[in-house]
């Protein structure tokens, strides 16, 4: 399986991650996370394979998170409702969201990317 990166072109962190991968000649597919967000089943699969708490998939610094009141709502939301919310709004998902098959990475950290991809 290849590498798929869900990213937002206006995001500095996404641009840094893509630049890092290009500088290492990694072959990847880039998907605009707002125009083509992962489906509900994809979000659930990515979350489970990431091994992270579900809250870590939320872009807590984003407008959708703030305007949606997720800081108050998320602790009380069911897992299913949280996954539905992520799938409904790509801007709610922390980015970049990288699927390398055996690893799923949320956000960009050079060390973690290096361990998982190089």
């Amino acid at each position: 399986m290849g590498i798929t990166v869900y990213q937002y072109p206006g995001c500095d962190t996404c641009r840094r991650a893509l630049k890092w991968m290009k500088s290492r000649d990694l072959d990847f597919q880039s998907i605009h996370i707002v125009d083509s967000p992962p489906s509900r089943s994809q979000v659930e699969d990515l979350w489970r394979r990431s091994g992270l708490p579900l809250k870590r998939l939320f872009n807590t610094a984003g407008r959708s998170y703030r305007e949606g009141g997720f800081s108050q709502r998320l602790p009380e939301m069911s897992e299913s409702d949280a996954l539905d919310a992520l799938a409904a709004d790509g801007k709610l998902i922390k980015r970049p969201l990288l699927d390398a098959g055996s690893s799923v990475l949320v956000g960009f950290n050079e060390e973690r990317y290096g361990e998982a991809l190089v």
Side-chain angles (χ1 to χ4, degrees):
M1 174 188 250
I3 300 169
T4 300
V5 182
Y6 291 92
Q7 56 84 30
Y8 181 66
C11 170
D12 288 336
T13 304
C14 293
R15 287 194 296 259
R16 283 196 323 271
L18 296 178
K19 181 179 178 181
W20 185 92
M21 292 189 326
K22 287 176 185 174
S23 73
R24 284 151 182 82
D25 292 323
L26 295 173
D27 186 33
F28 61 92
Q29 175 187 15
S30 176
I31 298 176
H32 193 297
I33 200 164
V34 176
D35 292 346
S36 300
S39 69
R40 164 64 163 75
S41 62
Q42 288 172 312
V43 171
E44 183 171 4
D45 175 59
L46 291 164
W47 163 57
R48 293 201 186 282
R49 288 190 291 123
S50 77
L52 297 171
L54 184 54
K55 181 180 176 167
R56 290 278 312 275
L57 263 68
F58 280 81
N59 176 14
T60 58
R63 182 184 301 175
S64 289
Y65 187 86
R66 287 190 311 273
E67 290 179 359
F70 284 95
S71 61
Q72 293 81 31
R73 293 175 46 208
L74 189 56
E76 305 300 321
M77 290 178 83
S78 70
E79 190 176 276
S80 181
D81 287 343
L83 290 166
D84 287 343
L86 288 166
D89 183 356
K91 285 193 174 182
L92 268 179
I93 301 172
K94 184 162 180 73
R95 54 194 183 256
L97 178 59
L98 184 139
D99 181 2
S102 59
S103 337
V104 173
L105 303 175
V106 179
F108 175 60
N109 175 287
E110 285 188 37
E111 185 175 322
R112 286 186 297 148
Y113 269 52
E115 291 169 359
L117 304 174
V118 181

